[in-house]
Amino acid sequence: VDECQNGIHECIKDVATCVNQLGSYYCICNHGYTGNGKTSCIPEGEARQSKSNAIRVTLDTPLKNSLKDKGNICRNQFAINDYLECRRYTKLTDKTRKTTYVTKNKKCDNHLGPGWFRFQGDAGTKMPTKCQPMSRCDAYKTGWLRGTHPSVAEGAVNKTVCFRYRSCCKYSVIIRVRNCGSYYVYHLINTPECNLRYCGTD
């Protein structure tokens, strides 16, 4: 059953998108909003302002002066790290996830998500944005991000992950990506079948 197509989902109307996956679905807030897509989708500017006001009330005078001296750098860094997904994510560090890892194994991510993930360490630092050869990152059908990574100002955006099988985008899924300043986080879902895997690079 495709809950999204049949309209039997719980995603917030007009500000969230329903994304179907095998046996289930999940919700993502549209561009410019942050939240879980089911119970909340708050405009990103309002979310940052609300958090900023709450902290401003509780700061003592010495700390206020210290933050003031740091200027825009401190304020901008706070705005980025304030997003929950930039602080709470699952690390993907396995060296077999990197596109340089050549194998004929058939690992897959059909039980990986949904959730926020960050590529780190031996797995690389981000997803590749160019079509990858097959049989890389310990999988038969290799996953890569179509298009470019978002800027910090763009917020969390919807992106397409393609999986290479004969053609560069034989299979695809919609994910969400956020630029957290010095790294990216990805809201990954379960792949629609086995032998498809999300890959990393430097």
Side-chain angles (χ1 to χ4, degrees):
V1 177
D2 187 333
E3 294 90 349
C4 298
Q5 185 174 358
N6 294 332
I8 52 176
H9 57 81
E10 298 178 355
C11 302
I12 302 175
K13 186 178 180 180
D14 297 330
V15 295
T17 300
C18 178
V19 180
N20 187 61
Q21 59 181 0
L22 188 63
S24 183
Y25 72 94
Y26 74 98
C27 306
I28 51 177
C29 295
N30 295 337
H31 178 62
Y33 293 84
T34 184
N36 60 26
K38 279 190 175 182
T39 60
S40 66
C41 278
I42 304 171
E44 291 185 341
E46 291 183 14
R48 288 197 298 269
Q49 186 62 39
S50 176
K51 291 285 187 179
S52 179
N53 288 340
I55 287 186
R56 189 177 297 116
V57 171
T58 60
L59 289 177
D60 57 24
T61 301
L63 184 54
K64 282 183 180 178
N65 293 335
S66 175
L67 289 177
K68 184 177 180 180
D69 292 339
K70 293 182 182 297
N72 290 331
I73 295 177
C74 180
R75 288 194 295 274
N76 290 340
Q77 190 63 41
F78 169 79
I80 296 169
N81 291 337
D82 186 43
Y83 295 114
L84 186 62
E85 56 265 31
C86 289
R87 294 180 284 113
R88 295 184 182 178
Y89 49 77
T90 300
K91 297 178 182 179
L92 299 176
T93 60
D94 186 357
K95 67 179 182 181
T96 65
R97 280 201 179 270
K98 205 165 186 180
T99 54
T100 53
Y101 193 90
V102 182
T103 179
K104 292 185 178 180
N105 288 343
K106 296 183 178 180
K107 287 187 178 180
C108 54
D109 284 333
N110 59 337
H111 296 294
L112 178 70
W116 286 96
F117 295 85
R118 175 185 174 184
F119 288 87
Q120 274 188 298
D122 292 337
T125 59
K126 59 187 177 182
M127 292 192 69
T129 54
K130 293 182 179 180
C131 181
Q132 299 297 307
M134 293 174 58
S135 298
R136 298 294 179 94
C137 63
D138 216 18
Y140 190 48
K141 303 166 186 175
T142 51
W144 59 282
L145 189 72
R146 188 164 66 183
T148 59
H149 282 83
S151 66
V152 171
E154 289 179 284
V157 299
N158 294 344
K159 289 286 185 177
T160 299
V161 172
C162 290
F163 296 92
R164 173 71 180 268
Y165 179 64
R166 297 177 182 171
S167 65
C168 279
C169 204
K170 178 69 174 179
Y171 304 91
S172 66
V173 296
I174 303 297
I175 68 166
R176 204 154 175 81
V177 186
R178 181 182 288 281
N179 186 331
C180 292
S182 58
Y183 57 91
Y184 301 100
V185 291
Y186 307 83
H187 191 275
L188 305 179
I189 64 171
N190 295 335
T191 55
E193 62 178 54
C194 205
N195 304 339
L196 281 68
R197 201 176 193 211
Y198 300 105
C199 302
T201 189
D202 288 322

